[in-house]
Amino acid sequence: MNTPSSENRPPFLPFALPEIGEEEIAEVVDALRSGWVTTGPKTRRFEQDFSAFLGDPGLHAIAVNSATAGLHLALEAVGVGPGDEVITTTHTFTASAEVARYLGADVKLVDIDPATLCIDPAAIEAAITPRTKCIVPVHFGGLAADMTAILAIAQKHGLKVVEDAAHALPSTHAGRLIGTLDSDATVFSFYANKTITTGEGGMLVTRDAALAQRAKVMRLHGINRDAFDRFTAKVPSWYYEIVAPGFKYNLTDIASALGIHQLQRAHAFQRQRAALAAHYNELLADLPLILPPQPAPGELHSWHLYVVRLADGACLHRDAFIEALFEAGIGCSVHYIPLHQQPYWRERYQLQAEDFPHSQRAFERTATLPLYTRMTLEDVERVALAVRRALCVG
Ligand SMILES: *Cc1c(COP(=O)(O)O)cnc(C)c1O
C-alpha cells in the first residue's frame, strides 16, 4: 500500500542504466535462432566494425569477454612476467592493476594529476626502475590521459604501454581517437554501465600483428588456429594444436549482437552524454563544488562519468552528501576508492595514503552523479536541485 507521500515521490533515479534498443534485441534473437551462440560470424563482424569505427585499417580488434581479460591478454602479449614491474594509477578500478599480478609481475601504483584525475606523467617517471616493463594509463571518466607525455616517457625508457580505455569510447587525445595512438595495445570495456555495453565484454586493439596473433591464440586455450588454417588445410577439421596454456576469454555471438548496434550509436550516445554534462556544468557552476575536468577545445570526452568534488566551503562531508542525494531518490557512486586504500594492495605493497596525496584528497571529497543516455535534461535539473539542497544553497 502506497502512502500519499510515497505516491508523490518521483521514482528512484539510478546511478547508471544501459540503453538497449529494438535493433540490439532483434540481432540477439537472430543469433539465438541462427544456431551460432558462441564466437562466430557476429563476433567477426563486431571486430571489423570496431576497427572501422576507429577509422584505422591497420588496427586489429580482438573481442574478449571483459576488459579485464583484454588487459590480461595485452600484458601477457607484451611480455610482462615474474620480476617485472607495471606502473598504473592508484585512482582506478582494481582490474587495471590485478592483471599484472595474474602474470606474477609487481604493481607500482602512482598518484594522479589533480587537475585531470588521470595518472601524473611526472609520477610515472619517478616510479621507473630497471624492472619496469609497462605503463597502464587510465582515461579517467572518459577524459584522455596525457598520452603525449606518457608515450614520450615510454619511448625514452624502452617501456610498453597498454591503455586501459574502459571509460574512453569515444574519446580523443591530440585529435586522435583513443585506440589509434602509438601505444602497444588499448583495451575497451562493454560492462553494463560503460558507454556502450554487451552485458559483459571488451575489445583489445593493437597495430602490432604479432601482438594480435598472440592475444588471439591466448584468448582461446592457446589453440593456434591460424597455423592450422595456413599449414594444415588438408588435414581433417577435427585437428588442432595447443601451443600455449591459454585462457577462455572469447566473446559470444549473443554479446557481439548487442555490440554491433551499440557501436553504431556510440557517437550519438557521446553527444547526449556531453549535452547532459554541459547542463550539469551550468546548473552547478555557482556551488561549492569542483566540477569535472573539461576536455581541451576540439577534444572528444566520452563523459562516461560525471565526477564532482566538494570544495572547502561545502557545508557537509562526502558521505553525508551521498546520503542526502539518496534520501532525495538519487543514486550516486564513488570513483574510486583508491587502490592504496584497498586491503590487498595496501598490505601487499605497504602503501600509505600520504604517498598519494592527490588521489587521497580527491577520494575524500568525490561523488559521481548519475549520467547516462536514458536521462533527460529534466532529470539533470532534478539532480542539480537535490545537490543544491544538500549543499545548503537555495
Ligand atoms: C570497468 C573497468 C574495467 C574492467 O572492465 P570489465 O569489462 O568489467 O572487465 C577496467 N578498468 C576500468 C578503469 C574500469 O572502469
Side-chain angles (χ1 to χ4, degrees), residues 66-68 71 92-93 95-96 138 164 166-167 189 191 194 200-201 336:
S66 71
T68 307
L71 289 165
T92 188
F93 184 59
S96 313
V138 178
D164 178 340
H167 300 182
S189 174
Y191 180 67
K194 298 290 161 55
E200 301 280 355
Y336 284 96

Side-chain angles (χ1 to χ4, degrees), residues 5-310:
S5 74
S6 75
E7 268 170 25
N8 293 336
R9 197 176 282 181
F12 189 79
L13 187 78
F15 159 71
L17 273 181
E19 179 164 338
I20 308 289
E22 290 306 320
E23 279 152 329
E24 283 89 330
I25 291 168
E27 197 77 39
V28 168
V29 169
D30 189 63
L32 296 174
R33 292 195 199 286
S34 74
W36 266 111
V37 287
T38 185
T39 309
K42 293 203 194 293
T43 301
R44 184 68 58 88
R45 178 174 160 204
F46 185 34
E47 291 174 338
Q48 287 166 350
D49 288 357
F50 205 87
S51 305
F53 177 90
L54 293 176
D56 187 333
L59 278 178
H60 305 269
I62 298 159
V64 285
N65 58 17
S66 71
T68 307
L71 289 165
H72 185 194
L73 290 174
L75 291 193
E76 199 274 342
V78 300
V80 169
D84 292 333
E85 287 173 355
V86 173
I87 297 174
T88 191
T89 168
T90 188
H91 215 70
T92 188
F93 184 59
T94 193
S96 313
E98 71 190 8
V99 290
R101 301 289 303 134
Y102 296 178
L103 295 161
D106 280 307
V107 175
K108 276 280 197 78
L109 296 174
V110 303
D111 207 355
I112 51 170
D113 176 347
T116 64
L117 302 171
C118 289
I119 194 166
D120 176 5
I124 294 174
E125 196 143 34
I128 291 171
T129 75
R131 290 170 58 198
T132 306
K133 177 84 181 183
C134 185
I135 305 168
V136 179
V138 178
H139 307 297
F140 182 87
L143 181 73
D146 184 354
M147 290 306 298
T148 301
I150 292 166
L151 289 165
I153 291 167
Q155 190 159 39
K156 180 171 149 198
H157 296 273
L159 306 177
K160 306 290 186 183
V161 178
V162 172
E163 292 171 65
D164 178 340
H167 300 182
L169 188 75
S171 301
T172 59
H173 171 76
R176 290 163 70 186
L177 280 172
I178 296 300
T180 68
L181 306 183
D182 298 323
S183 48
D184 294 277
T186 303
V187 180
F188 296 91
S189 174
F190 313 132
Y191 180 67
N193 70 1
K194 298 290 161 55
T195 54
I196 74 167
T197 187
T198 60
E200 301 280 355
M203 193 72 77
L204 186 167
V205 304
T206 180
R207 220 175 263 116
D208 181 333
L211 195 161
Q213 180 54 27
R214 177 69 181 179
K216 271 186 201 165
V217 167
M218 295 307 280
R219 172 176 64 174
L220 195 68
H221 300 298
I223 297 175
N224 193 342
R225 294 287 301 187
D226 276 7
F228 171 80
D229 290 336
R230 258 183 289 132
F231 301 121
T232 59
K234 290 189 204 93
V235 307
S237 60
W238 51 263
Y239 185 75
Y240 60 85
E241 285 178 338
I242 303 297
V243 298
F247 310 108
K248 186 72 201 305
Y249 283 166
N250 55 304
L251 189 68
T252 69
D253 266 24
I254 300 170
S256 294
L258 283 167
I260 287 165
H261 294 280
Q262 289 275 293
L263 185 64
Q264 287 176 8
R265 303 164 77 188
H267 280 297
F269 282 166
Q270 187 279 335
R271 286 191 293 273
Q272 276 177 273
R273 285 176 173 274
L276 295 167
H279 204 41
Y280 267 137
N281 288 344
E282 272 169 44
L283 297 171
L284 302 177
D286 62 322
L287 298 179
L289 288 175
I290 302 169
L291 297 183
Q294 299 296 310
E299 300 290 356
L300 209 54
H301 185 321
S302 75
W303 288 107
H304 166 52
L305 300 175
Y306 192 88
V307 173
V308 298
R309 283 169 278 172
L310 300 187

